[in-house]
Amino acid sequence: MSVIEIENLTQDYQIGFWRKRNVRALDSLNLRVEAGEVFGFLGPNGAGKTTTFKILMRMLRPTAGEARILGQPLDDLRMRARIGYLPERPYFYHYLTAREFLVFCGALCDLPRDRAAKRAADLLDQVGLSDSADKHLRKFSKGMLQRAGLAQALINDPEVLFLDEPMSGLDPLGRREARELIANLRARGKTIFFSSHILTDVEAMCDRVAILNRGRLVESGRLSEILKTRSNEIEAVVSGVNEEILAELREFALEVQPTPEGARARLESDRDIARLLEVIHHANGRLVSVNPARESLEDFFMREIGGMK
Amino acid sequence: MKIIPIALNTFRESARDRALYNLMVFVILLIIASVVMGRIAVGQEVKIVIDLGLSAMTVFGVLMSIFLGIGLVSKEIENGAIANILSKPVRRTEFILGKYFGLCLTLFVSSVVMAAAITGALIYAQGGSDAAQWRLWPAAWLIFLELTIMTAVALLFSCFSSPALSALFALLIFLIGRWSPDLKLFAETSNSAAVRAVSRALYHLLPNLANFNYINETAHGEVAPWRMIAGNTVYAVCYIAAALAAAALIFNRRNFK
């Protein structure tokens, strides 16, 4: 079952004061996110990611097209009670304490006060803010606000979670905790639709991704389908080699990247493995690993988006 | 019904705003000063305390209703808090009504505090309890109604205009509203048909705030008649309903980029 259905979603903005003209921020976006998926929404700045989130969260009315969440139109309030959202630059009422803020969010989701208070305490613990629960949000750092934002998105125990740049502002520990939280939510069958600039996080967490550029969908699908193996290419990691050997490797390898222990060599096919072995054996080097070459999400991103810029 | 949590949160915001307390302290000091001034003008204590006290309450209340009223919506849009609210199961109309009633609650509490301060000043000036001390309360109720109208007007403007322009428009409406009898007179006596039509339209469209000013009469010992209070309360409720309906209509159509 598709939990998020986006059909031909288009958003135009008017810019200019005297001579107004239209700028297309989103161009006929089609997307489906299935139940239980962790779906990554990628693209450079200005690609249309936040515009898509804003349409889904009723901040913008689309110029054309439509979207449904949990099979319901975007204005359906019963559906709203089943989703959670973390905005890209979260601003929360600074005069409230973290606990008061979460209880307030619970009230907006129709939670009875005592249940909201219990849920708030649990969530503050989950996101590592229980020590700061009664501190005013104005005293929170960016990372702490991001954690509070994650907690408010979860206050109603949503089935679908929309996270716009959830790792933004988090330190490495916070990022790891957020990744664990997302993995935990996924294990509980939640659907997560999130955007991120941090490709390694996306690669580590997502079942499927969609890549957007200048408002258009560039690619969408499973990471294993998008990040195809590079035909017959082989990636070999070697250690204990010197500059002379690296020069020899460069004679037949497609690419050689020195590493602290040795080098990473990309070969055209497995036919070159024998020659590689011969070269490193001659230098008393060591073969560490041989794998079919597979591009990273970053490689793919740079190839697809970098070429268009 | 999400109006109540939004209203209580809005009330909590103003209750935790130090600037509001500073303004209230200023008004209360003014009321205390009126007691001293009353001592100088022998026999005029009650009149001066009521006149100065209720006038200070009006000025403070109007500034508060306009400047907090225009921020009710525009601040939420500017800082992005609206994104969090709209993602929740909340109707845009509920948001508008919640913000409005939250500020009205703040205005109500501050009006009660100020009216109580004036009453206290009168008790002190007269050296005991007297009926004159209680006749200011109907006038204070009328001031409160005037403030709720101005809050609705400020909120309406902030739904489609910048904060600076909203403040300017709301202040203009307050001034014109206070002079509405003159506007009516102008509409009746002008030689130009176009001026008469525009003045008449403005007279009916803008709030008739002069009806809510009973300060002078109260200072001279009159008590606002209950029929007048009831009539003005109904007028205020109708005017506020119309202004909030317009605000909700505009807000429902807005995009937040």
Side-chain angles (χ1 to χ4, degrees), chain B residues 11 20 27 39 46 55 57 60-61 65 78 84 86 95 97 106 114 136-137 147 157 162 170 183 193 206 212 217 222:
Chain B
F11 175 69
L20 198 71
V27 172
R39 290 266 164 94
V46 174
S55 299
M57 184 175 155
F60 162 72
S65 60
E78 255 170 53
N84 187 40
L86 292 184
F95 172 75
L97 294 179
T106 309
M114 285 187 283
L136 68 93
W137 286 86
L147 302 184
F157 282 123
S162 70
L183 194 64
L206 301 182
F212 295 87
E217 291 86 342
E222 287 179 39

Side-chain angles (χ1 to χ4, degrees), chain B residues 82-110:
Chain B
I82 189 81
N84 187 40
I85 300 284
L86 292 184
S87 71
K88 304 271 186 285
V90 178
R91 287 188 181 87
R92 288 189 181 202
T93 306
E94 289 177 322
F95 172 75
I96 289 285
L97 294 179
K99 297 300 283 184
Y100 175 74
F101 287 120
L103 183 50
C104 284
L105 185 59
T106 309
L107 290 170
F108 181 76
V109 171
S110 55

